Amino acid sequence: MLQFTCGSSLPLDYSKFDGVVIGYHWRLFDKDGLPNDLDFGNKIIRGQFLYGHTHHAPHPLSKCQTIEQWVGKRVGRFPQVSEWILVNEFTDDLGIPYPDYKIDDLKRYCEAAHLANPSARLILGDFKPYLFKKWGAIANICHELKEEGFPVEVGIQTHMKTYNAPVILSRLPSVVEMFDIPVHFLEASLW
């Protein structure tokens, strides 16, 4: 099993980890105003990008007209990122995609990311693995994308808390079995 840590602007010993996750708010420039080169040595770099609740249009500073342009620009700007959590938390509790995250939208975003970096893995992430209906719908979306040739994988956030850990641990194997693509555990935290 590969282990990742959160990338940050603080000095951190990355040698204990296989990879580094850079989030939505990763500093694009260092403290001196120079572009951040994402130099983590020989580590896998996993970037998070579109957040289903928030990103319904490109960031104004991107000067892009569409999300697809924004995805292409961002993914192309960081070729050293080998895995993109392209969309995260993009469905409600019933598995219904939020506005701008329906299957055709996801196809356009995957295509833009794939054109910008054909070797990067594309991961669709979501949370609440104890909600079977939600994850069944996500599995159907991923299956359809795979059938149409989009190289997607899935990421499951666990976020175990004292009160929900038994439920998550008991249901997680059934959720994993729903998928015919690689499954990643994201944001695996204990609260």
Side-chain angles (χ1 to χ4, degrees):
M1 173 177 12
L2 298 178
Q3 295 185 22
F4 287 75
T5 188
C6 181
S8 71
S9 58
L10 302 173
L12 182 65
D13 179 8
Y14 297 109
S15 66
K16 300 173 186 147
F17 301 95
D18 301 295
V20 178
V21 177
I22 58 171
Y24 312 103
H25 305 293
W26 174 255
R27 291 174 37 171
L28 300 180
F29 299 94
D30 67 16
K31 61 181 172 54
D32 299 317
L34 299 172
N36 192 328
D37 61 3
L38 303 180
D39 184 10
F40 297 111
N42 202 21
K43 302 296 177 189
I44 299 166
I45 302 175
R46 180 180 284 168
Q48 290 185 318
F49 191 28
L50 298 174
Y51 189 52
H53 284 72
T54 306
H55 298 130
H56 299 286
H59 191 283
L61 296 178
S62 73
K63 298 180 181 169
C64 295
Q65 299 299 310
T66 66
I67 293 179
E68 296 87 346
Q69 291 171 343
W70 187 32
V71 167
K73 183 176 181 179
R74 180 83 172 224
V75 171
R77 182 174 176 193
F78 298 106
Q80 65 272 53
V81 174
S82 52
E83 301 180 359
W84 284 96
I85 301 173
L86 186 58
V87 298
N88 195 32
E89 297 182 17
F90 67 105
T91 67
D92 67 13
D93 285 354
L94 298 175
I96 298 169
Y98 292 119
D100 304 313
Y101 291 90
K102 307 271 189 268
I103 191 78
D104 288 337
D105 302 310
L106 295 175
K107 289 176 186 177
R108 290 193 307 273
Y109 307 158
C110 286
E111 182 176 36
H114 186 67
L115 288 173
N117 184 347
S119 63
R121 300 171 90 163
L122 303 179
I123 302 169
L124 307 180
D126 221 311
F127 69 129
K128 298 184 179 177
Y130 49 87
L131 298 176
F132 286 145
K133 186 169 185 173
K134 174 186 184 83
W135 283 93
I138 293 170
N140 290 337
I141 289 168
C142 290
H143 180 75
E144 182 174 338
L145 290 169
K146 178 186 172 191
E147 288 294 306
E148 294 198 27
F150 292 94
V152 297
E153 301 178 13
V154 69
I156 302 171
Q157 297 177 17
T158 53
H159 294 303
M160 287 189 270
K161 300 172 180 101
T162 305
Y163 68 88
N164 71 2
V167 175
I168 289 175
L169 291 173
S170 68
R171 294 188 177 191
L172 204 50
S174 297
V175 171
V176 171
E177 289 175 3
M178 294 178 184
F179 292 92
D180 58 355
I181 57 176
V183 175
H184 304 265
F185 294 105
L186 311 173
E187 300 181 36
S189 56
L190 296 171
W191 298 351

